[in-house]
Amino acid sequence: MIKLSSTSVALESTVITHGLPRPQNLTLARDMERVVRENGATPATIAILDGQIRVGLTDAELERLANETNVRKISRRDFATAIVKKECGGTTVAGTMFAAHRAGIRVFATGGIGGVHEVETLDISTDLQALADTPMIVVCAGAKAILNLPATLEYLETMAVPVIGYRTDEFPAFYSRQSGLPVSARLDSPEEVVRFAKAHWELGMKSAVLVCQPLPPEDEIPAEKINGFIEQARREASEGGIHGQPLTPFLLARLAELTGGESLRANLALLLNNAKLAAQIACALSLLEKQKAI
Ligand code: PSU
Ligand code: MN
């Protein structure tokens, strides 16, 4: 078993099993853990192996997960399925929050959250519901413009989820640093984030604090460039009748093809950037609690 600590940072695994191609998925999984450690915190990658919920994986288990072909995408409704069928699975943002919160972890790093899809039928990611009812700090790079971003932000507001711009006033759009949409508050340091989260939860709020950090400027793909590809990928999904759980993985893979790997590079860069910030936040949170205990 991997030991948990007061500076544990949860890491999701759908990005490993469904979000990134091989072999970059395994490299990324290892790099995320390394960056968390280099910044003084303790990584815990969350997944399901042979029907068991695992909070923290060994390196051999990470490797197995990254190369597993029969692997389920695990959101909150899917845990019992994977358990009774003794399957392996990569946990989404919602799935990871569920298992991490249960294990007492308060900080989580991911790339982009799921949200409200731009499709004919209703498709709202469970990630939004998990953010509504799980008190954790979730670090992301906003949400991809494959989603309806204004509707996603409206939903988060309805569900009482503070959307924090980390050193920005705008909600970042994953590949782009800006979306033209405002956040609910701006904060500029890990300590400010921790004080904010404490204030939120001390009021009795049960929702997450969503910390949105724009990707590094050098990795940004201009909105004019990526938006055309996003439109194309969405159209192809609609024409191919792709909806439900496979929709997000399809759109991500298609974008990587259409951009000749540029979207993949941006994705990797922002994931590592988020792991670093989450580690700094976990350390600040642990320090604040130690000071309060004295
Ligand atoms: N967005 C990304 N990359 C991802 C995902 C979303 O930019 O890898 C993954 C996350 O694990 C997220 C999940 O929780 O997809 C959302 O899936 P759905 O839309 O089916 O809820
Ligand atoms: Mn969905």
Side-chain angles (χ1 to χ4, degrees):
M1 267 307 272
I2 303 291
K3 283 242 308 274
L4 296 179
S5 86
S6 65
T7 59
S8 284
V9 172
L11 301 170
E12 67 146 306
S13 52
T14 291
V15 68
I16 305 171
T17 56
H18 292 76
L20 296 171
R22 294 184 200 128
Q24 289 94 337
N25 62 342
L26 178 58
T27 311
L28 179 275
R30 287 178 167 150
D31 286 349
M32 290 282 281
E33 294 212 344
R34 179 178 49 75
V35 167
V36 170
R37 280 193 199 95
E38 281 172 1
N39 286 278
T42 311
T45 300
I46 290 178
I48 296 197
L49 290 181
D50 305 318
Q52 289 195 333
I53 301 175
R54 300 294 307 275
V55 178
L57 300 180
T58 63
D59 189 66
E61 288 168 341
L62 267 188
E63 188 170 345
R64 175 180 168 200
L65 192 71
N67 292 309
E68 194 71 54
T69 44
N70 190 12
V71 65
R72 188 182 288 273
K73 175 174 164 181
I74 309 281
S75 191
R76 297 207 289 201
R77 68 160 184 193
D78 307 298
F79 278 93
T81 310
I83 289 167
V84 299
K85 294 179 186 286
K86 299 202 175 3
E87 291 177 347
C88 293
T91 47
T92 63
V93 167
T96 305
M97 289 178 75
F98 170 73
H101 178 61
R102 212 162 144 262
I105 300 178
R106 284 127 358 127
V107 183
F108 165 35
T110 184
I113 57 161
V116 180
H117 275 280
E118 190 74 66
V119 287
E120 305 81 40
T121 51
L122 184 74
D123 185 345
I124 300 174
S125 175
T126 315
D127 293 357
L128 299 186
Q129 188 59 43
L131 289 163
D133 62 25
T134 318
M136 293 185 71
I137 298 173
V138 179
V139 180
C140 70
K144 281 203 178 78
I146 57 173
L147 300 168
N148 181 330
L149 296 184
T152 300
L153 286 173
E154 289 294 343
Y155 193 101
L156 289 168
E157 180 183 352
T158 302
M159 293 301 189
V161 179
V163 177
I164 305 300
Y166 190 76
R167 298 184 180 164
T168 180
D169 297 306
E170 271 190 42
F171 184 65
F174 201 87
Y175 299 122
S176 318
R177 290 174 58 82
Q178 292 176 317
S179 64
L181 301 164
V183 289
S184 67
R186 174 193 175 132
L187 299 173
D188 294 300
S189 71
E191 292 72 24
E192 280 181 32
V193 170
V194 165
R195 280 199 297 273
F196 182 99
K198 282 275 173 197
H200 184 65
W201 295 328
E202 276 165 12
L203 291 167
M205 300 289 175
K206 299 282 182 284
S207 46
V209 172
L210 185 64
V211 177
C212 303
Q213 168 171 245
L215 85 171
E218 61 275 20
D219 297 302
E220 185 173 32
I221 309 177
E224 319 81 74
K225 187 167 173 190
I226 196 78
N227 286 349
F229 292 133
I230 288 173
E231 273 315 307
Q232 184 178 340
R234 270 184 186 157
R235 207 170 41 243
E236 288 176 8
S238 162
E239 285 163 7
I242 296 165
H243 47 77
Q245 274 195 321
L247 178 61
T248 299
F250 171 84
L251 293 173
L252 300 184
R254 199 62 191 108
L255 271 186
E257 286 168 5
L258 291 171
T259 61
E262 198 179 348
S263 70
L264 185 58
R265 280 192 295 281
N267 202 342
L268 297 175
L270 67 84
L271 279 161
L272 296 179
N273 208 32
N274 292 346
K276 180 176 177 184
L277 178 57
Q280 292 168 343
I281 290 171
C283 291
L285 181 58
S286 169
L287 187 67
L288 183 74
E289 287 179 345
K290 277 191 193 127
Q291 286 166 347
K292 282 214 169 142
I294 294 170

